[in-house]
Amino acid sequence: MTRIFPLLLATTTLLLATSSTAQSNREHPSTGLHSLFVAAGKLYFGTATETNNLDDPTYQNILSNPLEFGQQTPENSQKWGLIQPNPGDFAFNNSDLITDLSKSYNHLLRCHTLTWHSQLPPFVSASSWTPDTLRQLLTTHITAVVSHFGSACYAWDVVNEALNENGTLRSSVFLDVLGEEYIALSFNIAAGAAPPETKLYYNDFNLETSPQKQTAAVELVKSLQAQGVKIDGVGLQAHFTVGQTPSLESLTATLRRFTDLGVDVAWTELDVAHEDVENSSELAVEQQAEDYVAAVRACIEVERCVGVTVWQFTDKYSWVPGTFPGKGDACLWTADYQRKSAYWAVKGFLEGWVARMNMTGALVGGNGTGIKTVTGSKGTFVGVTSGTGRLVGSVSVGLISSCVWLALKMI
Ligand code: G3I
């Protein structure tokens, strides 16, 4: 017993140190979702926002907290119907307000979106186009919009929701007149107008849950790459329903199918809605927390997943109940700005992850079960990693050598 006492003491001290770091100080937080996500090696934790949220001081107070958010996406104001409602009539005022806001809060701006079948003005959706006139229209629109925002956009969702659930291409004015060529064309026009560092994304929903759609998106990326088109990333919207969110394993496998093609990925519109808000149980609240954690963790475990954007952070402005009556409560904050269990679960998970990283150095990412030695800010550690490259357990080299030294002394 005396021989193993030093080992037990040291291990207990190590564990206590970790758990105290991991505890949330809810009164005076020194960390938040964004700061922890960055500490875990990611680029941003962000949110959709819009100009109708500007005169809400409580909302702005949270949005501007650099610990919580480091990125924003305009929820509507860059869409075609709002930004060019009539031919040649560009209305940048609202989207400029969001751009200015992102700059003043020091947030990255994901720009959304250029070629989409929805929220089109009647002059686009209801006119008769020839392939030539529609090509010209796309060129004018995308060039004007992308040039206007220039380097303010970290990324553009160039083409949005081009696929049906069964993997075929969705009917739209663009597909119906130009065929599949409209997708490559949109990317090429955007690439010609954007600064070279701007990331160009294909963005869609249900890529996480619909196998045929997922495969079609993989093929789409391959086809664009084979044509020499610049595509830097795939945005997976991640509009989930409580209890129907794919497992962590499934989510990481989905992200990896795309990163294996050499592109970045991001959860671009994450929310997890209760199917029936009126009748949702305490259990469903905990399930929502688990679903959020699975999504956030999947992004951490996949090296080229750059960040997470929630599609509004408060139920007050969530799109869900307006589109799906009865469904909702999908966000991390309630409508009166209380942090939900899901918020605390995501934060607690991130705190634990970052605390372990600080002990062991950057073990996140990569594949393969094995034993790895890593030097981090707190010394050199030997860690055991799982098949996904995730750290399962670790012990410091200093601790091992002290134990060996003590054991030898006692023999
Ligand atoms: O601007 C008009 C306003 O003038 C009018 O008074 C009001 C009356 O309802 O409607 C306003 O337009 C609404 C628009 O949002 C701006 O607020 C539309 O009705 C409403 O349908 C529209 O909903 C947006 C939806 O896209 C449109 O498809 C949601 O806010 C927005 O969250 C949602 O976002 C999409 C992503 O862009 C793509 N992925 C799916 C996601 C959720 O549907």
Side-chain angles (χ1 to χ4, degrees):
M1 181 62 197
T2 43
R3 292 183 185 195
I4 59 166
F5 179 71
L7 178 62
L8 284 174
L9 183 68
T11 310
T12 311
T13 311
L14 197 68
L15 288 174
L16 284 176
T18 313
S19 69
S20 74
T21 322
Q23 265 172 17
S24 303
N25 183 337
R26 295 189 180 194
E27 303 299 314
H28 304 287
S30 56
T31 58
L33 303 177
H34 175 66
S35 67
L36 287 163
F37 215 43
V38 168
K42 299 290 139 178
L43 197 53
Y44 60 81
F45 196 101
T47 179
T49 190
E50 215 14 279
T51 48
N52 60 325
N53 314 142
L54 283 173
D55 56 2
D56 181 337
T58 313
Y59 179 98
Q60 292 303 325
N61 208 18
I62 298 170
L63 178 65
S64 62
N65 181 344
L67 300 173
E68 298 290 18
F69 295 111
Q71 177 272 330
Q72 55 187 263
T73 305
E75 190 175 349
N76 286 299
S77 60
Q78 289 177 326
K79 292 171 180 173
W80 197 320
L82 291 136
I83 216 165
Q84 194 194 172
N86 298 298
D89 168 18
F90 287 92
F92 290 117
N93 38 349
N94 280 337
S95 44
D96 283 350
L97 288 174
I98 298 298
T99 309
D100 293 346
L101 191 75
S102 70
K103 284 184 184 153
S104 70
Y105 292 169
N106 204 18
H107 287 173
L108 284 176
L109 188 69
R110 286 196 87 263
C111 292
H112 175 81
T113 179
L114 297 169
T115 305
W116 189 28
H117 68 277
S118 184
Q119 280 178 288
L120 285 173
F123 90 88
V124 177
S125 53
S127 301
S128 304
W129 301 98
T130 66
D132 277 347
T133 56
L134 192 57
R135 270 188 216 109
Q136 190 49 53
L137 179 78
L138 271 174
T139 306
T140 307
H141 180 77
I142 295 175
T143 305
V145 174
V146 171
S147 306
H148 177 82
F149 294 101
S151 59
C153 297
Y154 157 75
W156 263 109
D157 289 331
V158 177
V159 175
N160 196 38
E161 302 173 2
L163 293 165
N164 291 313
E165 300 306 286
N166 66 4
T168 57
L169 286 171
R170 180 196 293 279
S171 172
S172 68
V173 59
F174 308 114
L175 184 77
D176 300 348
V177 175
L178 289 170
E180 189 171 351
E181 129 186 17
Y182 88 85
I183 299 176
L185 178 67
S186 298
F187 274 91
N188 285 336
I189 301 166
E197 66 276 11
T198 309
K199 306 288 183 191
L200 303 184
Y201 272 64
Y202 175 70
N203 190 53
D204 213 330
F205 62 93
N206 284 357
L207 299 180
E208 318 83 5
T209 49
S210 168
Q212 289 167 306
K213 196 171 187 177
Q214 186 183 111
T215 298
V218 167
E219 294 306 319
L220 179 61
V221 174
K222 283 188 191 166
S223 155
L224 291 171
Q225 289 173 327
Q227 296 171 65
V229 171
K230 172 178 153 69
I231 173 164
D232 302 295
V234 173
L236 298 98
Q237 294 183 9
H239 291 296
F240 295 133
T241 301
V242 172
Q244 295 167 38
T245 302
S247 66
L248 172 66
E249 290 68 28
S250 169
L251 292 172
T252 51
T254 295
L255 294 178
R256 288 211 173 98
R257 271 194 91 183
F258 294 102
T259 58
D260 284 351
L261 304 175
V263 294
D264 290 342
V265 289
W267 299 132
T268 51
E269 305 183 11
L270 175 64
D271 48 24
V272 185
H274 289 277
E275 187 78 72
D276 179 1
V277 173
E278 286 290 294
N279 299 304
S280 82
S281 62
E282 217 12 72
L283 220 57
V285 169
E286 294 315 313
Q287 183 63 53
Q288 183 186 48
E290 278 181 35
D291 292 349
Y292 260 106
V293 169
V296 169
R297 180 168 181 162
C299 184
I300 287 189
E301 291 200 6
V302 175
E303 201 173 350
R304 286 197 70 168
C305 181
V306 294
V308 169
T309 308
V310 289
W311 208 239
Q312 284 291 4
F313 61 87
T314 161
D315 292 333
K316 186 172 180 181
Y317 299 118
S318 171
W319 68 286
V320 177
T323 306
F324 300 108
K327 201 168 170 176
D329 276 2
C331 299
L332 292 170
W333 274 257
T334 62
D336 59 353
Y337 297 112
Q338 301 305 306
R339 289 169 168 86
K340 296 186 187 173
S341 297
Y343 170 92
W344 293 114
V346 169
K347 192 174 179 203
F349 159 71
L350 288 173
E351 283 170 334
W353 189 280
V354 170
R356 289 208 290 174
M357 272 180 73
N358 285 341
M359 281 201 307
T360 60
L363 261 172
V364 184
N367 287 313
T369 309
I371 296 181
K372 294 181 186 171
T373 307
V374 175
T375 301
S377 56
K378 305 227 169 123
T380 300
F381 287 76
V382 177
V384 180
T385 52
S386 73
T388 58
R390 185 171 63 79
L391 180 67
V392 173
S394 65
V395 60
S396 89
V397 166
L399 182 59
I400 296 171
S401 50
S402 309
C403 291
V404 171
W405 181 79
L406 273 167
L408 288 173
K409 258 198 112 183
M410 286 172 180
I411 291 171

